[in-house]
Amino acid sequence: MSEITPELVTHLASLSRIDLSPDEIASLTTELGQIVDSIAKVSEVATAEVPATSHPIPLTNALRADVVGETLTQEQVLQNAPEQQDGKFVVTAILGEEQ
Amino acid sequence: MAKDKILSFERALELFEPVLGFEVHIELGTKTKMFSSAPNEFGSEPNTNITPVDLGLPGTLPVVNEQAVRYSISLGLALGCEIAETSSFARKNYFYPDMTKNYQITQSDQPIAYDGSVEVELADGTIYHVPIERAHMEEDAGKLTHVGGSAGRIQGASASLVDYNRAGVPLVEIVTRPIFGAEHNAPELAKAYVAVVREIAISLGISEARMERGNLRCDANVSLRPRGQEKLGTRTETKNVNSLRSVERAVRYEIQRQAAILEAGGTITQETRHWHEDTGTTSAGRPKSDADDYRYFPEPDLLPVVPGRELIEQLRSELPEAPAARNRRLKGEWGFTDLEFQDVVNGGLLAEISATVAAGATAQAARKWWTGEISRIANTQGVDAASLISPENVAATAKLVEAGTLTDKLARQVIEGVIAGEGSPQEVVDARGLAVVSDDGALIAAIDEALAAQPDILEKLREGKVQAAGAVIGAVMKAMKGQADAARVRELLLERAAQA
Amino acid sequence: MSELIRLSAAELAAKLSAGEVSAVEATQAHLDRIAAVDGDVHAFLHVSDSALETARGIDERRAAGEQLHELAGVPLAVKDVLVTTDMPSTSGSKILEGYMSPFDATVVERARAAGLIAIGKTNMDEFAMGSSTEHSAYGPTHNPWDLTRIPGGSGGGSAAAVAAFEAPLALGSDTGGSIRQPAHVTGTVGVKPTYGGVSRYGSIALASSLDQVGPVTRTVLDAALLHDVIGGHDARDSTSIPESWVLMAAAAREGQSGEVLKGLRVGVVKQFSGEGFQAGVEQRFAETLTLLQGAGAEIVEIDAPHFEYAVAAYYLILPAEASSNLARYDSVRFGLRVHPQGGGTVEDVMAATREAGFGPEVKRRIILGTYALSSGYYDAYYGSAQKVRTLIQRDFNAAFEQVDVIASPSAPTTAFKLGERINDPLAMYLNDITTIPANLAGVPGISIPMGLAPEDGLPTGLQLMAPARADDRLYRVAAAIEARLESGWGHTLISQAPALGGK
């Protein structure tokens, strides 16, 4: 009954930027199928009149005054960078257009 | 890049009805970022306006900037929108190296403002009401520069450098509903709409709204539908439109390009297109596809914003007058003719002239410089006039003319110098040595020298042959390299003739 | 000196402030213990090399007559999910190996300000995904009661450190039971505070709407003392509750001595029994209820019809939020970077890095969460799960109209064997059935030892839950039950733990 197919897992892996191996895709297809079957029952009780809860404690308006605070130095910003140049982070070429 | 076939604008309009839509992003001029206390500043050293939050470091959490909320509400009100009783944030998930968390915090189901309308007046006096679907708060991304390729283009680059100073800068995105009925005015309406939004943002004091800096960015959606057809055509979204002028040109180009495809029996691909200022064309970007699954969900790290009636009414009471009403008032105050005022509106120069007048220039002088010399240079360079020079510098130049320090001709050189980055008007005057020679002694010496070369002139003047003065004035101006006030030279010369 | 490590934090603190013991001595005793037993237990991923120096600073301040916090000089183990400036913070993942944070988590900052000595970072399931600590990229932690068994998870390292007397206090994080379930299987005390009661700033996010940082200790009073140090409003966490709190330590002390059980209405959830619950766990739970009745409490059966959907909702909400929270580990700004063979675009580098840097459970949940949020499935999965959350909150609200606290076993079984369930994610997920509802509803929960299961001689835990913001009630009641149980046994439960190689 599961709709989890290897193609779907491959698509999800691409959306989440994980270069899964063929073996992983195969085992995840099976595991996710079982997991999804067991958790799909949430829709049994989730009827239209029940509101969704995104935050467990209902609070509002946590706002910050527009006042400049402490910043990191450029050195701190780059301290964990895998690669850097001229005060910037370096990444390999980007394919395609900017978003 | 293969050149697109395009249809003539007139023919395109005969066959198709253009439908427009705009997404305008405005960077808010708050002191700090949308969700962190890092300074919101342009032009700093790379990666210095950054707190751990802006870098998306493990363990960091966002906190909403109260001022950004107030600015957004003011903007929403000025756009004629309803303000949400409860507004909430959502995450838009996609990977891109300019985003530190690989999701953007934005608003989805509950934008801060919705259902508005903006009045836009065209040159011929036609008034359109552009329907606003929503205005929502979100954060900007960092900036990428591409190295190893040609001309900083992404294509062919071997690597990219990322500066996250802009990451987290507060944005409001204003989304229109589809705009029908613009017809042959579509390109002009596009430009005028963006100009009005820009004026609103400036008049509210919530953004510098400088397009060349990316403070205000416009994505223009264009679709065509055959005459008589109800169903909307497939739309394209043109990005990278960085001046008012480009908005107009890009919309016109897309209408012509799409019309050519449709007329030839082709179909339009739903895609992002990039505007190229140099060629005046657009090129295909990413196609919209199933891969664009942004997986929006409520941002669990942020609470809903409930502004409260009191705050909304307070901000409403503080709104400046609407641009249309303000235009009518300014036209009167400035004493411009219809033609003069329309020139200003078309140039998108109202805010600049207001600011120039506020900085001490007369309205006519401000108009003359902005619609004249500055617009001329802007057209040559293909940029907006506002991006070239500040109103304060224009006013300072105008005041130098008024004081007699500069002639109009010299003032044009000063304007050129300021635009070329040579400094303030006074600095340009000093550096280029442009000031009018107001030292009578120097002028008299020059006059004497000229008279010595043409001794008969004094005689002629005494005989009342005033036109003879021209030769001497010309010689003096030449000797002074143009930096003399011709009227004063004439006065001195006539005094001289009377004495002898 | 080794007796120092067997003291509770409150007892050690008393000796420190009386000048009987120095912070250096206390710290050295625990560092010695770590050196002696952690090779077997593997509770720590990193041991501080500056702890003694920090302790010396505390001793000097005390010698100079400075008024220090009650807990100043007491060692503290810190779960690796919390970022620290002086030690690496990896959240148990290869993708963050060696990562140094430029700031301390708020709870760590507050603990340091109180003079607590951070002695090390404790092991955990990678990004807190797991119930056994077997999903740590750095190898599993072993249960001090039986080294062949799991110490619970995700915070098995903190619980094992406390149970093995390597630290009197530890910090944990609880997303679906990661503090309470390890407490259950290690015979220790663990508290998940009310959501928003303790700052999440600096806690490496797993599921933002479920995560809560809390204390891991050997006694209820120690947990309360630590809670008072780390709790309270933090403007850097928007979901932090702005109101002030009563002192938890005062509530615990009141519970230890007072008659708080008399007239207390204790709810027992119908749905938390039967299938999947080990007989010895149910037996100890039933005995504890009898003891409560004997002390004047009233036992009320509670119907929470939607609790059976809690695990399902949890395994949709958690992966969904996690898939987004973990997107930042992309090799650009920090952490691991792996270049695919033959080069590639930045997208390929990101995908190769995430493939190499994440373990199987993390990948499983990211894929599941991406699925739950993707278009076409959102309403059926994530949307429905959020509605179940509402229904579970309603079940809690209805229950707390009838009772003051809800009691249950903290987990269905005692510690299982390492490796036993590692390849059966569903069985692993069901381990959290009793703890998950509190996270979904945001209410506080505590686990305290309730005896050893007769069939295997392993610890079991009693979970108590209270309405949101009533954390003090938990401490009051738990301290009272702890006192009754221990006086019945004639000793603490943890004193029965095996000695380990250190002795």
Side-chain angles (χ1 to χ4, degrees):
Chain A
M1 80 163 251
S2 168
E3 64 230 312
I4 308 288
T5 61
E7 292 71 34
L8 178 61
V9 172
T10 305
H11 171 66
L12 296 171
S14 145
L15 274 181
S16 46
R17 289 279 189 285
I18 305 177
D19 185 20
L20 292 178
S21 69
D23 283 354
E24 285 177 310
I25 289 171
S27 59
L28 275 172
T29 303
T30 312
E31 288 165 9
L32 283 187
Q34 290 165 357
I35 294 168
V36 168
D37 286 349
S38 75
I39 60 185
K41 67 173 178 182
V42 287
S43 52
E44 289 170 15
V45 285
T47 50
E49 68 277 9
V50 180
T53 294
S54 54
H55 295 70
I57 305 294
L59 302 171
T60 58
N61 290 341
L63 302 170
R64 173 179 59 80
D66 188 22
V67 178
V68 173
E70 204 182 322
T71 53
L72 297 174
T73 62
Q74 193 188 65
E75 194 188 353
Q76 284 177 310
V77 167
L78 296 167
Q79 102 186 32
N80 290 288
E83 199 183 341
Q84 55 175 290
Q85 182 188 316
D86 306 334
K88 300 179 181 180
F89 295 87
V90 179
V91 296
T92 43
I94 298 165
L95 197 66
E97 298 281 351
E98 286 172 61
Q99 301 257 345
Chain B
M1 195 187 317
K3 211 166 169 338
D4 296 312
K5 267 189 65 173
I6 61 169
L7 210 60
S8 81
F9 187 67
E10 292 69 27
R11 180 68 183 146
L13 264 292
E14 259 172 52
L15 297 173
F16 303 103
E17 181 200 347
V19 180
L20 304 179
F22 301 97
E23 285 148 34
V24 172
H25 288 86
I26 297 179
E27 280 184 352
L28 300 179
T30 49
K31 291 190 183 69
T32 65
K33 293 187 179 177
M34 186 71 223
F35 301 115
S36 89
S37 59
N40 172 13
E41 272 173 22
F42 183 84
S44 306
E45 284 295 302
N47 291 310
T48 54
N49 292 341
I50 286 178
T51 70
V53 176
D54 308 296
L55 215 49
L57 292 184
T60 54
L61 297 170
V63 185
V64 176
N65 182 340
E66 181 172 25
Q67 183 71 302
V69 173
R70 294 168 68 100
Y71 281 180
S72 304
I73 293 173
S74 294
L75 181 58
L77 291 170
L79 297 170
C81 289
E82 300 292 321
I83 302 303
E85 233 171 82
T86 300
S87 178
S88 63
F89 292 92
R91 291 189 188 175
K92 179 181 181 181
N93 294 285
Y94 64 96
F95 284 81
Y96 210 72
D98 63 1
M99 283 208 309
T100 57
K101 305 179 293 295
N102 287 316
Y103 58 81
Q104 181 192 32
I105 305 178
T106 177
Q107 300 197 287
S108 173
D109 297 340
Q110 297 182 300
I112 186 79
Y114 58 95
D115 282 351
S117 175
V118 175
E119 185 184 317
V120 180
E121 188 176 348
L122 302 189
D124 66 0
T126 319
I127 289 176
Y128 286 92
H129 293 274
V130 172
I132 305 295
E133 182 188 312
R134 56 191 279 144
H136 65 253
M137 299 181 274
E138 59 186 29
E139 56 179 337
D140 210 342
K143 262 199 143 119
L144 290 164
T145 45
H146 308 293
V147 293
S150 60
R153 281 275 178 77
I154 195 164
Q155 290 89 355
S158 61
S160 302
L161 306 180
V162 204
D163 171 9
Y164 291 109
N165 277 346
R166 200 182 63 180
V169 164
L171 290 177
V172 175
E173 178 176 346
I174 303 163
V175 183
T176 67
R177 295 189 191 286
I179 303 162
F180 301 98
E183 298 296 348
H184 64 280
N185 283 332
E188 192 193 341
L189 175 61
K191 175 182 169 179
Y193 165 71
V194 178
V196 167
V197 170
R198 183 171 168 270
E199 279 169 34
I200 289 174
I202 292 171
S203 70
L204 288 169
I206 63 167
S207 175
E208 288 189 53
R210 293 173 65 167
M211 292 188 80
E212 80 283 3
R213 274 193 184 176
N215 293 151
L216 187 149
R217 308 195 279 272
C218 172
D219 301 338
N221 297 316
V222 176
S223 71
L224 299 182
R225 61 177 172 186
R227 295 277 159 203
Q229 180 182 300
E230 183 75 17
K231 193 168 167 283
L232 289 177
T234 304
R235 68 189 167 87
T236 61
E237 179 180 355
T238 304
K239 291 180 179 282
N240 195 33
V241 203
N242 295 330
S243 69
L244 291 174
R245 203 167 152 268
S246 314
V247 175
E248 181 168 16
R249 293 173 70 206
V251 166
R252 177 182 294 271
Y253 181 82
E254 267 305 289
I255 290 172
Q256 293 180 264
R257 187 189 68 86
Q258 291 185 19
I261 294 173
L262 293 172
E263 197 212 15
T267 52
I268 304 299
T269 313
Q270 188 174 351
E271 63 189 357
T272 300
R273 297 192 66 85
H274 278 246
W275 170 248
H276 303 285
E277 186 65 46
D278 45 355
T279 57
T281 60
T282 64
S283 68
R286 280 177 333 108
K288 296 266 174 191
S289 72
D290 292 347
D292 290 327
D293 186 346
Y294 293 124
R295 289 160 283 135
Y296 284 94
F297 73 100
E299 165 59 282
D301 287 330
L302 291 172
L303 304 177
V305 173
V306 181
R309 274 292 120 200
E310 205 174 313
L311 174 66
I312 295 169
E313 291 318 314
Q314 183 208 326
L315 292 173
R316 195 192 302 279
S317 71
E318 292 168 5
L319 284 184
E321 62 191 316
R326 188 195 57 175
N327 288 359
R328 286 187 277 277
R329 177 177 58 80
L330 286 179
K331 182 163 169 278
E333 278 177 21
W334 292 342
F336 289 177
T337 64
D338 285 354
L339 203 64
E340 285 171 344
F341 195 76
Q342 214 40 259
D343 241 18
V344 170
V345 172
N346 288 349
L349 293 166
L350 274 169
E352 282 64 38
I353 290 174
S354 286
T356 308
V357 170
T362 65
Q364 279 300 349
R367 185 193 60 76
K368 186 175 73 180
W369 290 114
W370 280 107
T371 61
E373 185 66 8
I374 302 169
S375 289
R376 190 187 61 74
I377 298 174
N379 278 332
T380 316
Q381 299 187 6
V383 297
D384 283 333
S387 68
L388 291 173
I389 185 168
S390 72
E392 291 71 25
N393 279 340
V394 177
T397 308
K399 279 191 269 187
L400 288 172
V401 175
E402 215 173 310
T405 310
L406 293 176
T407 60
D408 273 9
K409 191 173 162 196
L410 288 173
R412 276 198 288 280
Q413 294 182 49
V414 170
I415 297 270
E416 264 175 40
V418 174
I419 289 173
E422 291 168 26
S424 69
Q426 192 57 56
E427 283 163 357
V428 175
V429 166
D430 294 344
R432 292 195 180 187
L434 291 178
V436 166
V437 176
S438 51
D439 173 0
D440 283 358
L443 293 177
I444 290 168
I447 289 170
D448 285 346
E449 207 169 301
L451 287 174
Q454 305 172 73
D456 53 327
I457 298 240
L458 270 183
E459 270 311 303
K460 288 183 181 168
L461 288 174
R462 283 180 196 135
E463 287 163 17
K465 294 178 182 164
V466 187
Q467 64 272 31
V472 174
I473 293 169
V476 170
M477 291 303 283
K478 194 173 174 193
M480 305 305 278
K481 299 197 175 72
Q483 288 168 239
D485 179 352
R488 182 66 185 150
V489 174
R490 185 183 184 84
E491 261 174 46
L492 289 171
L493 178 61
L494 293 178
E495 272 174 35
R496 187 59 179 241
Q499 284 165 12
Chain C
M1 281 323 287
S2 73
E3 279 314 298
L4 275 184
I5 61 171
R6 304 190 76 85
L7 298 173
S8 71
E11 290 163 349
L12 179 58
K15 288 190 186 298
L16 284 162
S17 56
E20 295 170 31
V21 174
S22 73
V24 168
E25 287 166 333
T27 303
Q28 188 64 58
H30 287 91
L31 291 174
D32 290 347
R33 174 70 173 175
I34 292 170
V37 305
D38 209 53
D40 291 335
V41 178
H42 193 225
F44 286 88
L45 293 178
H46 186 95
V47 178
S48 168
D49 48 20
S50 59
L52 283 173
E53 197 185 313
T54 309
R56 203 165 293 125
I58 295 292
D59 287 335
E60 282 165 13
R61 286 166 62 193
R62 201 188 301 276
E66 198 178 321
Q67 195 59 44
L68 299 177
H69 185 276
E70 186 176 359
L71 291 178
V74 175
L76 172 75
V78 179
K79 188 179 180 183
D80 208 33
V81 75
L82 299 165
V83 298
T84 47
T85 49
D86 57 342
M87 294 179 271
S89 307
T90 71
S91 208
S93 182
K94 276 278 180 254
I95 213 163
L96 276 177
E97 190 162 16
Y99 172 74
M100 291 300 295
S101 173
F103 68 98
D104 274 328
T106 296
V107 290
V108 171
E109 186 181 276
R110 289 181 180 179
R112 291 196 210 275
L116 288 161
I117 315 291
I119 55 166
K121 301 296 286 287
T122 60
N123 198 10
M124 55 184 285
D125 286 296
E126 183 177 5
F127 287 110
M129 296 185 193
S131 309
S132 68
T133 321
E134 292 166 290
H135 293 303
S136 168
Y138 304 98
T141 297
H142 299 260
N143 191 323
W145 289 79
D146 176 349
L147 294 172
T148 68
R149 290 179 187 268
I150 59 116
S154 65
S158 280
V162 169
F165 300 99
E166 295 172 280
L169 299 173
L171 291 172
S173 69
D174 189 315
T175 306
S178 287
I179 288 176
R180 290 161 291 159
Q181 181 258 10
H184 165 95
V185 295
T186 59
T188 56
V189 174
V191 180
K192 183 205 92 75
T194 296
Y195 184 85
V198 176
S199 171
R200 290 185 296 119
Y201 192 78
S203 174
I204 299 176
L206 167 55
S208 311
S209 75
L210 301 165
D211 294 347
Q212 192 57 198
V213 177
V216 175
T217 63
R218 290 189 294 264
T219 73
V220 173
L221 175 61
D222 284 0
L225 287 165
L226 185 52
H227 190 142
D228 287 333
V229 169
I230 61 174
H233 183 246
D234 178 12
R236 287 170 291 190
D237 175 358
S238 302
T239 60
S240 173
I241 293 173
E243 290 82 17
S244 60
W245 297 78
V246 298
L247 285 178
M248 303 301 157
R253 287 188 169 114
E254 188 193 327
Q256 281 177 333
S257 53
E259 287 287 293
V260 300
L261 299 179
K262 190 168 283 175
L264 185 78
R265 297 169 302 162
V266 178
V268 176
V269 180
K270 213 162 70 175
Q271 283 76 8
F272 284 164
S273 64
E275 201 195 343
F277 282 80
Q278 189 180 321
V281 172
E282 292 209 305
Q283 183 189 328
R284 292 297 176 232
F285 181 59
E287 289 166 9
T288 306
L289 293 181
T290 307
L291 177 135
L292 282 168
Q293 275 175 316
E298 181 193 348
I299 308 297
V300 181
E301 190 183 69
I302 293 296
D303 187 17
H306 300 101
F307 277 23
E308 67 168 293
Y309 298 93
V311 172
Y314 176 80
Y315 279 98
L316 287 163
I317 293 168
L318 178 145
E321 292 184 6
S323 71
S324 176
N325 283 333
L326 268 57
R328 71 191 63 196
Y329 306 106
D330 65 357
S331 83
V332 176
R333 292 156 300 279
F334 47 79
L336 186 71
R337 174 175 292 186
V338 173
H339 291 278
Q341 287 202 323
T345 64
V346 67
E347 296 172 358
D348 301 328
V349 175
M350 286 181 180
T353 300
R354 290 163 64 79
E355 164 66 10
F358 288 143
E361 181 63 17
V362 173
K363 290 180 201 171
R364 194 179 290 134
R365 295 203 197 180
I366 288 176
I367 299 290
L368 177 59
T370 304
Y371 175 61
L373 288 175
S374 59
S375 69
Y377 302 106
Y378 181 96
D379 289 341
Y381 294 133
Y382 187 76
S384 295
Q386 299 282 41
K387 290 181 172 193
V388 168
R389 201 168 183 165
T390 307
L391 296 171
I392 286 169
Q393 286 199 333
R394 288 177 184 171
D395 283 357
F396 269 113
N397 290 342
F400 286 126
E401 278 173 18
Q402 301 173 61
V403 299
D404 302 307
V405 294
I406 294 173
S408 78
S410 301
T413 69
T414 55
F416 47 89
K417 292 270 187 188
L418 285 161
E420 190 181 313
R421 298 188 193 172
I422 187 90
N423 293 317
D424 188 353
L426 271 177
M428 194 80 98
Y429 296 174
L430 284 173
N431 214 278
D432 303 330
I433 185 166
T434 48
T435 45
I436 280 172
N439 297 84
L440 288 172
V443 305
I446 187 171
S447 178
I448 62 168
M450 63 171 183
L452 304 177
E455 63 266 56
D456 54 19
L458 291 168
T460 66
L462 170 74
Q463 175 181 231
L464 297 168
M465 292 178 279
R469 297 180 162 90
D471 304 47
D472 59 318
R473 188 185 301 170
L474 283 187
Y475 284 108
R476 198 173 288 113
V477 173
I481 299 174
E482 177 189 55
R484 290 254 169 188
L485 283 170
E486 288 180 357
S487 79
W489 299 327
H491 53 72
T492 62
L493 192 75
I494 198 71
S495 66
Q496 305 305 297
L500 297 176
K503 279 286 175 73

